[in-house]
């Protein structure tokens, strides 16, 4: 009768308190017709993964501006694997130096969006890489 | 192993997936729900409703913590609105409940209304059934922020808690019909704010005026301060009192019968409609009917009458 509705978790791991970007992306994803589970600030990787599993999301979008991306993002990926949930993709956005991107991708982060990315690009990426999987 | 078997073996991912299948209207979900049905009917279901920003999510978080302290397993179904324009939604109730994220005795699921207007989604009842079958002792349903008339929760929950806050209007608001008739317990949240006592008083007067019903339960008005956890113990104690009243008075049985009658009626309606629509949609028949009505060569009353008659004849043969 019905088709699948895409569900995406948007959250902020770690300690920085800047959530404007995450909110803009959440809103844009909502306007693209997705269901966005917004978990807010100061999340541990374990909390993020537990929420993603209970909500049965297709992917997790993480916003990080604290500089701790090389620690926190791979940790989310590791916890997903530990919980047998690594079919859930991770993408991230924030102030992430170009040099760090290959390492993050090797650690299981599917895409990294740096400052200046338009919300249309993020939506397009989600449609092409998550919706059609 | 099917989803239902896995759920009965405490597989969280299977439960989360079945909830999604239910929400997405997959035909396969029915077989799983059939299998789970014998394992349902044990959970105590609490509904929490009230206007946007009244503090529903924060109170759900606090009530969950209180029940966890008693060693009970808690399921939460939190509902937020779907955009009527894009079909998308932002589900933000978890923000207030994150401290329970890693607690294996708590399962929280956010749902979007997906066009339903009664304050909950069409899938809510079935999602609650899954949590019930998972062995949750208590299931808390948080409705969307409601106005005056979104009262579907009352058929779903054993105990309905209506949350109010000070400053939303005068006492005439409190004697209007609708949401204020459905509470088994009333809560004035943000009780540290100006006007809280007055709001509580007005609610109490309204409840006393309306208490001519032959119901043996008199709803109380409690005060809470959700973000500090004030008044939560008293609220959970009052829930227990209501639950015991339902059991001892026989009202529980009446509630379940009425609830099941509504469920059955709605499912019959859906089932009959789907079957009728399937037949009517064949070979462009539906479009032809619309055309006939549009050019006035027939009318919708005759067409529906004949269609329903046709369905019954088909089924007799």
């Amino acid at each position: 009768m019905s088709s699948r509705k895409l569900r995406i978790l948007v959250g902020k791991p770690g300690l920085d308190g800047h959530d404007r970007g995450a909110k803009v992306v959440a809103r844009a994803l909502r306007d693209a017709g997705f269901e966005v589970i917004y978990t807010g600030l100061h999340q541990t990787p374990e909390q993020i993964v537990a929420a993603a599993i209970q909500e049965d999301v297709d992917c997790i979008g993480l916003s990080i501006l604290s500089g701790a991306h090389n620690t926190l993002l791979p940790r989310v990926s590791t916890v997903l694997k530990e919980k047998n949930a690594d079919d859930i993709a991770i993408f991230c956005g924030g102030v992430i130096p170009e040099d760090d991107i290959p390492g993050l991708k090797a650690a299981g982060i599917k895409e990294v969006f740096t400052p200046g990315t338009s919300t249309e690009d993020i939506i397009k990426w989600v449609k092409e890489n998550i919706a059609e999987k | 192993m099917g989803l239902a078997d896995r759920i009965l073996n405490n597989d969280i991912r299977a439960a989360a997936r079945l909830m999604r299948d239910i929400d997405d209207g997959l035909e396969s979900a029915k077989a799983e729900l059939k299998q789970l049905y014998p394992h349902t009917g044990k959970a105590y279901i609490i509904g929490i409703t009230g206007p946007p920003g009244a503090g529903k999510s924060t109170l759900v978080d606090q009530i969950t913590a209180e029940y966890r302290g008693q060693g009970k397993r808690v399921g939460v179904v939190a509902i937020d609105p779907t955009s009527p324009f894009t079909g998308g939604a932002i589900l933000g109730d978890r923000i207030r409940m994150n401290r329970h994220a890693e607690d294996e005795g708590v399962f929280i699921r956010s749902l979007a209304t997906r066009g339903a207007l009664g304050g909950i989604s069409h899938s809510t009842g079935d999602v609650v059934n899954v949590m019930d079958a998972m062995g949750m002792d208590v299931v808390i349903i948080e409705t969307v922020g409601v106005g005056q008339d979104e009262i579907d929760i009352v058929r779903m929950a054993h105990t309905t808690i209506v949350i109010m806050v000070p400053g939303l209007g005068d006492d005439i608001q409190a004697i209007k019909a609708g949401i204020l008739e459905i509470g088994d317990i009333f809560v004035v949240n943000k009780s540290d704010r100006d006007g809280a006592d007055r709001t509580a008083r007005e609610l109490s007067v309204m409840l006393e005026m309306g208490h001519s019903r032959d119901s043996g339960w008199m709803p109380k008005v409690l005060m809470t301060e959700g973000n500090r956890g004030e008044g939560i113990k008293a609220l959970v104690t009052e829930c227990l009192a209501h639950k015991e009243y339902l059991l001892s008075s026989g009202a529980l049985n009446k509630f379940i019968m009425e609830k099941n009658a509504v469920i059955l009626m709605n499912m019959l309606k859906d089932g009959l409609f789907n079957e009728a629509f399937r037949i009517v949609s064949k070979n462009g028949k539906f479009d032809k009917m619309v055309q006939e009505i549009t050019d006035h060569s027939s009318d919708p009353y005759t067409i529906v009458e004949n269609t329903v008659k046709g369905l019954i004849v088909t089924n007799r043969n």
Side-chain angles (χ1 to χ4, degrees):
Chain A
M1 287 291 293
S2 237
S3 61
R4 279 278 187 223
K5 172 78 79 177
L6 208 74
R7 288 167 68 88
I8 304 174
L9 184 149
V10 172
K12 283 191 60 75
L15 291 176
D16 79 273
H18 303 280
D19 57 356
R20 173 68 72 91
K23 283 175 176 159
V24 167
V25 171
R27 167 82 198 255
L29 292 169
R30 181 202 84 175
D31 289 343
F34 306 137
E35 284 183 358
V36 179
I37 292 93
Y38 186 71
T39 61
L41 294 164
H42 308 320
Q43 301 295 292
T44 66
E46 288 77 8
Q47 284 176 320
I48 289 166
V49 169
I53 288 174
Q54 291 178 7
E55 299 288 353
D56 196 31
V57 296
D58 298 286
C59 63
I60 300 174
L62 298 173
S63 159
I64 188 158
L65 301 163
S66 65
H69 47 269
N70 285 336
T71 309
L72 289 169
L73 298 179
R75 177 76 193 142
V76 176
S77 180
T78 305
V79 179
L80 273 178
K81 276 196 198 92
E82 284 168 10
K83 303 274 181 193
N84 276 327
D86 51 345
D87 53 302
I88 301 173
I90 307 168
F91 67 94
C92 73
V95 278
I96 292 164
E98 287 291 329
D99 292 350
D100 290 346
I101 294 176
L104 289 173
K105 287 198 170 168
I109 310 303
K110 210 162 174 199
E111 191 55 271
V112 178
F113 297 104
T114 50
T117 308
S118 77
T119 51
E120 283 90 35
D121 289 341
I122 298 174
I123 291 162
K124 186 163 171 273
W125 181 86
V126 168
K127 281 184 177 158
E128 284 169 3
N129 292 277
I130 307 295
E132 329 243 308
K133 76 173 182 187
Chain B
M1 235 191 324
L3 288 177
D5 289 316
R6 287 169 57 198
I7 291 167
L8 295 173
N9 279 313
N10 298 318
D11 183 335
I12 297 297
R13 288 213 82 189
R17 176 50 54 92
L18 179 57
M19 289 174 191
R20 186 150 181 208
D21 289 352
I22 291 165
D23 218 12
D24 286 341
L26 296 199
E27 209 40 49
S28 62
K30 272 190 202 148
E32 311 290 347
L33 283 167
K34 281 182 203 169
Q35 199 185 332
L36 291 181
Y37 199 79
H39 302 273
T40 64
K42 295 183 205 109
Y44 169 52
I45 303 166
I46 300 175
I48 298 208
T49 191
K56 293 183 294 299
S57 301
T58 305
L59 284 177
V60 170
D61 170 72
Q62 295 282 8
I63 294 169
T64 301
E66 182 67 25
Y67 276 117
R68 288 303 290 147
Q70 298 177 11
K72 298 214 158 66
R73 299 182 71 199
V74 181
V76 175
V77 184
I79 300 146
D80 267 330
T82 295
S83 160
F85 303 110
T86 65
I90 290 194
L91 312 175
D93 292 320
R94 289 190 84 98
I95 297 173
R96 316 264 177 246
M97 309 174 195
N98 277 324
R99 64 170 156 155
H100 302 295
E102 287 179 75
D103 180 349
E104 288 181 0
V106 178
F107 188 104
I108 302 169
R109 180 58 167 231
S110 314
L111 295 176
T113 51
R114 300 199 183 179
L117 296 175
I120 55 178
S121 70
H122 293 303
S123 58
T124 303
D126 288 335
V127 169
V128 169
N129 277 346
V130 176
M131 290 192 178
D132 196 346
M134 287 166 79
M136 296 300 167
D137 300 300
V138 180
V139 176
I140 307 173
I141 306 169
E142 178 188 340
T143 72
V144 297
V146 302
Q148 295 176 313
D149 202 22
E150 298 94 333
I151 56 168
D152 283 357
I153 187 66
V154 77
R155 293 244 176 265
M156 205 67 75
H158 296 122
T159 301
T160 299
I161 304 174
V162 175
I163 317 265
M164 303 300 285
V165 281
L168 283 182
D170 62 16
D171 53 353
I172 295 301
Q173 295 299 336
I175 56 172
K176 287 184 182 170
I179 181 169
L180 290 175
E181 291 176 284
I182 66 169
D184 299 305
I185 301 169
F186 288 82
V187 168
V188 178
N189 192 33
K190 308 189 186 182
S191 62
D192 54 321
R193 297 224 177 149
D194 279 352
D197 289 332
R198 191 180 151 197
T199 303
R201 218 165 35 237
E202 286 170 357
L203 275 171
S204 298
V205 170
M206 177 275 292
L207 290 169
E208 279 157 26
M209 282 197 297
H211 193 60
S212 57
R213 298 177 289 179
D214 44 8
S215 152
W217 177 257
M218 176 67 199
K220 274 196 193 135
V221 180
L222 304 179
M223 309 277 267
T224 58
E225 209 181 313
N227 55 0
R228 289 180 40 210
E230 296 283 337
I232 303 303
K233 235 183 191 70
L235 176 55
V236 171
T237 305
E238 187 65 5
C239 286
L240 180 65
H242 184 250
K243 186 181 166 191
E244 277 168 356
Y245 156 76
L246 288 177
L247 284 167
S248 63
S249 66
L252 182 65
N253 202 41
K254 186 165 165 263
F255 166 82
I256 294 172
M257 293 282 282
E258 282 174 4
K259 171 180 170 175
N260 287 337
V262 172
I263 290 171
L264 183 57
M265 213 120 70
N266 286 338
M267 286 178 62
L268 264 174
K269 237 186 260 175
D270 287 350
L272 286 172
F273 170 79
N274 289 340
E275 181 61 10
F277 194 71
R278 191 182 62 80
I279 294 170
V280 164
S281 308
K282 269 192 216 154
N283 310 323
K285 225 160 126 192
F286 183 79
D287 293 336
K288 222 181 292 163
M289 288 171 171
V290 173
Q291 189 58 50
E292 281 170 22
I293 298 168
T294 309
D295 58 28
H296 285 69
S297 63
S298 183
D299 62 83
Y301 316 101
T302 311
I303 289 181
V304 169
E305 233 170 59
N306 291 342
T307 307
V308 173
K309 267 185 208 151
L311 266 181
I312 293 167
V313 171
T314 318
N315 282 335
R316 276 189 188 148
N317 294 339

